Amino acid sequence: MKIEKNYDFRKELLTVHEENVRNYSRKALADEFFFTDGAKIRIEANAPEVIAVAAADFCDYLSVSMGVTASVVTEGKGDVTIRLAKDAGVDLGEFAAYKGFCIETNADGITVTAHDDRGAGQALFYLEDLMTFAHAPVVAFGTTQKRAMYTPQMVHSAYGMDEFPDEYLARVAHEGRDAILVFTKGANQANDFPLDFNDLIRRAARWGIDVYAYSKMKSKKHPDDEGAEAFYEETYGTLFRECPGLKGVTLVGESVGLPRSNHEGVGKLMVDGIPTGINTPSIFPCMDYVEYLRLLQKVIYKYKPDADIVFWSYNWGKAPTVDRVALINALPEGITLLATFEMGEILEREGVLIRSADYSLSFEGPGFYFRTEAEAAKARGIRMYSMTNSGGRTWDFGCAPYEPMADSWIRRYDAMKYAHDELNLSGIMECHHYGFYPSIISKLSKHLFMIPTPDAEDVLAMILSSEYGEENVKTVREALFDYSEALRHYTPTDADQYGAFRIGPTQPLHLLQILHIPFDEGASYGHSNWIAQYLDIHHKFTLKKQTPQAIRHPFEIKALEKMLAFMEKGTAKLEAIENPNEKLVRLAGLGHFLTNTVKTGIAAKKMYTLRIKLLGESDPVRYGALLDEVKALQLAEKENVLDTIPLVEADSALGFEPSMLYLTDKRHLEWKLRQIDFVLNIEMKEMREGLDMHIRYLNNEWEGSKW
């Protein structure tokens, strides 16, 4: 077995074009244009940089992936001719829109007519996709017209938090995304390190990508406070003065907040260490944000009049509709509203009600919170974005590069299209924190996020054939269906999404003492080690508008056991394929890793239940039986961890998440084995000795105090 080192997956992220894609036995058909050595890609001499970069990239694709030499020219006849509609005097009709393009192919070559430079770039990337699907340098005769369904399509980096190498930017652009997010604490200051924003803006622009600042700049002044304007001039004003190329800024309550509120019923969360039970401005849609946004507009527009100021309502999705809509109706003109697509929804699982705590694909959406806000925004004519996590990752699994639940994603994309058509959804944010990892799912979404929208099954079939071989499409498709069915039984609670399902089989099964998982130096998220103890101590979220936790747990376990059965079924199908290629081996490894994560999720709930029972059990016999259950559970989990180690050794993308770094690599899984040994050989030994002593005492077999 090939063993990868940590971070080896980055080599794949930085590989823009795959080598040796071409099948030389695949010959051109009578109705296909065929690229041969010496191919010419013609652009105008004064073509925008995005077109020049995309044309050079296309030549590189032909060379690396198809074994065809090609060059960019500015005169003469081209095998591919790229032009802008306005220069050619061509009317693209409904495709005369952002990233719109028309590809015309015949025996003489290919003509790309684009509405703008980004459309031209996307047309060339689209042609690359077609040749990859065919495994040959061929393009069928005919006319193809496309335009973007969503803009922006904002993503975080899967390479590392706020890290965007040029090759990764190229991968993002090839997947149709046109904006990146940088966690921002100030001008040229990312979340964890200084970052030359202007250099990133310049490098991203070459690939047709905008840069948004995801603000982590605390709002230490209320708009009414003395000196408030000067404070925001120093923060947001400085940011856009120093980095005017930023496309915009995203604002969310928990990251920016306000120090106080003039809104009735909104104040301090804690007084003298005692919870007040009331809301704070960080988690409630108080009207103070209206003046706050007006003030930010004033200081930002001074330097960037067209800045996209995105106001994200994430933290008050559970607030009463009347309060959320009142704030939307009062928002200043020009503000963009962003609402999360599916979170906060109350779901039924095996006869109990749970609230979807965060981003989850187990409910495709749109949720009630999103719908009510989108309807209000539409009535006011406010630009509407959504956090859709549609690039392949949600918070259902934290340490997996993507979720291969194709049917679930297709349902999500259908729901998004409904929101686009009926609720004016125009822009999206994806892969929050976890980052955008190119995959079969992101490739699928790329094509389904274009207008006109192709048939999802047709696109998926081409992707699966291209990736895994035509002979394996049926089996792989069945496995992906099983995975999607599994997700219908997932329990997206706070304890799950911030516990076992966030980090995988490293999640410890605590008995008496809560031990903290070692975090790697440089991790941005989780320094407090609260992830290891989330199931045990974080009850405040689990009490809100859902079945109480003690009642829920047995039913959640039952739901996850159904999920596990489907996961095992799908993984078994993938692992049974004979002579799989490397990509298929990695897909099977991903499925196996996700399956083992579900096992840990079940074990964590069972362990929590056993702990509670042990605390309340007074009968010695039943107490001893519970200890036997704990032992069996810990031993089974030990086997699960041992089974996971080869998976993460074979694929370094497993167990990694950009904000936490590695929490489920071999080193951390070996830590979990030591934690299990601690429970079995120290904690349980002491508990068993105490029980045995008590039983001897009851049987008059105790010999007195002997140390």
Side-chain angles (χ1 to χ4, degrees):
M1 181 189 70
K2 178 185 175 182
I3 295 179
E4 292 190 350
K5 294 182 174 62
N6 281 3
Y7 299 102
D8 274 356
F9 72 91
R10 287 178 168 175
K11 298 175 185 176
E12 180 184 348
L13 285 181
L14 299 185
T15 301
V16 182
H17 297 132
E18 184 180 349
E19 293 182 348
N20 303 319
V21 171
R22 183 174 178 178
N23 174 9
Y24 281 88
S25 66
R26 167 68 159 90
K27 304 302 181 183
L29 303 178
D31 61 348
E32 290 179 330
F33 178 79
F34 183 69
F35 283 96
T36 58
D37 282 338
K40 306 295 183 184
I41 315 302
R42 179 178 174 176
I43 65 175
E44 296 300 318
N46 60 347
E49 185 178 29
V50 170
I51 294 179
V53 168
D57 172 89
F58 191 76
C59 291
D60 187 66
Y61 170 81
L62 287 173
S63 173
V64 173
S65 299
M66 292 293 154
V68 174
T69 61
S71 61
V72 178
V73 299
T74 57
E75 56 185 25
K77 184 181 184 302
D79 296 273
V80 179
T81 300
I82 305 166
R83 59 186 188 172
L84 294 177
K86 62 182 178 62
D87 297 333
V90 175
D91 181 5
L92 290 176
E94 67 171 294
F95 300 96
Y98 175 70
K99 288 168 65 175
F101 62 81
C102 174
I103 300 173
E104 297 170 289
T105 306
N106 55 41
D108 293 327
I110 300 171
T111 299
V112 172
T113 307
H115 173 70
D116 51 24
D117 56 350
R118 294 187 177 186
Q122 289 302 313
L124 289 174
F125 302 153
Y126 186 86
L127 288 170
E128 292 178 14
D129 289 349
L130 296 182
M131 289 186 281
T132 297
F133 293 155
H135 282 277
V138 298
V139 178
F141 295 168
T143 299
T144 298
Q145 293 178 291
K146 296 285 184 180
R147 61 184 174 90
M149 185 179 296
Y150 308 108
T151 181
Q153 296 180 43
M154 298 182 276
V155 299
H156 290 280
S157 174
Y159 185 89
M161 182 176 281
D162 301 326
E163 296 183 66
F164 294 93
D166 289 340
E167 297 90 341
Y168 180 72
L169 292 171
R171 294 294 303 274
V172 169
H174 277 72
E175 300 291 325
R177 274 59 186 181
D178 62 356
I180 56 175
L181 288 154
V182 178
F183 289 109
T184 301
K185 291 185 175 180
N188 298 313
Q189 180 60 52
N191 193 69
D192 294 320
F193 51 84
L195 177 64
D196 185 343
F197 283 9
N198 291 317
D199 175 68
L200 176 59
I201 292 165
R202 176 189 58 79
R203 292 188 294 110
R206 299 180 71 245
W207 291 100
I209 296 172
D210 294 317
V211 180
Y212 279 77
Y214 184 103
S215 179
K216 301 195 80 173
M217 297 187 287
K218 295 299 181 182
S219 303
K220 298 180 180 179
K221 292 279 189 180
H222 188 280
D224 292 343
D225 290 346
E226 183 178 351
E229 183 171 342
F231 173 80
Y232 290 107
E233 172 66 33
E234 180 64 24
T235 51
Y236 289 91
T238 298
L239 174 64
F240 280 88
R241 183 180 68 248
E242 296 298 319
C243 311
L246 286 170
K247 179 69 173 180
V249 61
T250 299
L251 310 162
V252 62
E254 66 184 33
S255 293
V256 297
L258 284 172
R260 62 178 177 81
S261 174
N262 296 329
H263 191 287
E264 183 179 353
V266 182
K268 292 184 177 180
L269 188 64
M270 306 276 285
V271 174
D272 295 331
I274 300 174
T276 62
I278 62 175
N279 298 304
T280 71
S282 294
I283 61 173
F284 190 80
C286 52
M287 300 301 288
D288 307 69
Y289 281 107
V290 176
E291 292 307 314
Y292 168 78
L293 291 169
R294 286 201 180 103
L295 184 51
L296 289 192
Q297 284 180 314
K298 182 177 181 181
V299 299
I300 292 173
Y301 287 169
K302 188 186 306 182
Y303 308 103
K304 179 78 172 180
D306 61 346
D308 189 8
I309 301 176
V310 183
F311 189 52
W312 185 9
S313 58
Y314 169 89
N315 288 105
W316 39 82
K318 294 191 287 287
T321 302
V322 62
D323 294 305
R324 293 186 287 105
V325 171
L327 177 55
I328 293 170
N329 288 336
L331 288 178
E333 294 291 332
I335 293 294
T336 299
L337 177 67
L338 189 152
T340 306
F341 198 66
E342 82 292 346
M343 69 178 289
E345 201 76 3
I346 298 175
L347 309 174
E348 182 181 357
R349 292 290 185 269
E350 297 299 323
V352 295
L353 300 175
I354 65 173
R355 179 179 287 278
S356 179
D358 238 310
Y359 322 114
S360 177
L361 189 59
S362 62
F363 168 64
E364 291 86 4
F368 175 77
Y369 143 55
F370 172 82
R371 288 198 310 272
T372 53
E373 300 213 347
E375 288 166 356
K378 180 179 180 180
R380 269 209 61 198
I382 293 174
R383 188 165 52 238
M384 187 75 211
Y385 297 168
S386 182
M387 166 61 81
T388 56
N389 288 287
S390 43
R393 302 176 92 163
T394 70
W395 286 29
D396 295 328
F397 293 94
C399 282
Y402 67 96
E403 296 171 43
M405 288 71 174
D407 299 85
S408 299
W409 287 116
I410 290 171
R411 290 190 287 269
R412 168 64 57 84
Y413 303 151
D414 287 343
M416 290 170 59
K417 188 174 186 305
Y418 160 79
H420 171 272
D421 295 344
E422 303 297 329
L423 298 173
N424 290 359
L425 174 63
S426 62
I428 58 177
M429 184 188 292
E430 305 179 276
C431 308
H432 186 51
H433 266 287
Y434 292 178
F436 179 76
Y437 196 101
S439 68
I440 58 173
I441 301 302
S442 66
K443 295 179 193 302
L444 175 64
S445 64
K446 168 188 174 174
H447 289 270
L448 296 185
F449 290 172
M450 293 180 181
I451 297 173
T453 306
D455 180 81
E457 286 296 333
D458 290 345
V459 176
L460 183 58
M462 289 189 292
I463 292 171
L464 298 185
S465 176
S466 172
E467 296 281 313
Y468 309 121
E470 177 63 30
E471 69 278 11
N472 297 317
V473 169
K474 182 177 183 295
T475 303
V476 174
R477 186 67 188 88
E478 290 174 354
L480 300 187
F481 176 81
D482 291 334
Y483 290 156
S484 293
E485 289 302 293
L487 205 57
R488 290 177 180 269
H489 302 281
Y490 178 70
T491 56
T493 67
D494 228 65
D496 289 314
Q497 292 193 322
Y498 286 84
F501 285 89
R502 187 174 185 107
I503 62 173
T506 299
Q507 172 71 31
L509 308 184
H510 298 118
L511 180 54
L512 298 178
Q513 185 174 341
I514 294 176
L515 301 178
H516 296 313
I517 303 169
F519 278 77
D520 288 337
E521 183 178 355
S524 305
Y525 202 54
H527 287 303
S528 63
N529 282 288
W530 50 262
I531 292 173
Q533 53 198 341
Y534 215 88
L535 183 66
D536 297 312
I537 67 172
H538 278 60
H539 301 294
K540 62 181 181 179
F541 296 108
T542 65
L543 295 176
K544 293 181 179 179
K545 296 181 181 178
Q546 58 186 324
T547 302
Q549 183 171 340
I551 300 173
R552 282 200 335 264
H553 262 189
F555 298 94
E556 290 177 352
I557 291 170
K558 184 178 179 181
L560 290 180
E561 286 173 340
K562 288 185 176 181
M563 180 182 187
L564 177 61
F566 278 109
M567 292 298 301
E568 290 178 326
K569 183 180 177 183
T571 299
K573 289 176 181 176
L574 294 177
E575 292 182 336
I577 294 175
E578 296 181 359
N579 301 316
N581 64 16
E582 183 177 345
K583 291 181 178 180
L584 190 45
V585 170
R586 293 176 82 87
L587 176 63
L590 169 61
H592 198 146
F593 179 85
L594 297 177
T595 301
N596 288 0
T597 296
V598 178
K599 290 180 180 179
T600 300
I602 294 170
K605 288 182 185 292
K606 288 183 174 180
M607 191 65 214
Y608 177 80
T609 302
L610 288 171
R611 289 186 65 202
I612 299 302
K613 289 181 177 179
L614 280 167
L615 288 173
E617 184 54 70
S618 59
D619 180 86
V621 176
R622 289 196 293 267
Y623 190 90
L626 289 172
L627 289 180
D628 290 339
E629 289 187 53
V630 170
K631 180 179 180 180
L633 187 65
Q634 294 282 344
L635 289 173
E637 180 62 8
K638 184 174 184 177
E639 292 303 312
N640 189 42
V641 172
L642 290 170
D643 186 55
T644 305
I645 289 175
L647 302 174
V648 301
E649 287 186 302
D651 185 352
S652 61
L654 302 176
F656 175 85
E657 188 269 310
S659 67
M660 301 184 303
L661 304 182
Y662 279 101
L663 277 184
T664 308
D665 57 353
K666 181 180 180 181
R667 179 172 74 90
H668 285 87
L669 289 168
E670 289 176 340
W671 174 89
K672 169 71 172 285
L673 293 176
R674 296 197 301 274
Q675 186 266 339
I676 291 173
D677 288 342
F678 167 75
V679 172
L680 291 172
N681 301 323
I682 296 179
E683 289 187 324
M684 286 195 65
K685 180 183 178 184
E686 293 180 357
M687 296 172 75
R688 182 66 72 178
E689 287 175 347
L691 176 62
D692 291 345
M693 185 175 69
H694 178 71
I695 291 174
R696 291 199 307 272
Y697 172 72
L698 292 178
N699 294 334
N700 295 317
E701 296 173 356
W702 185 53
E703 299 176 355
S705 179
K706 290 186 178 181
W707 296 91

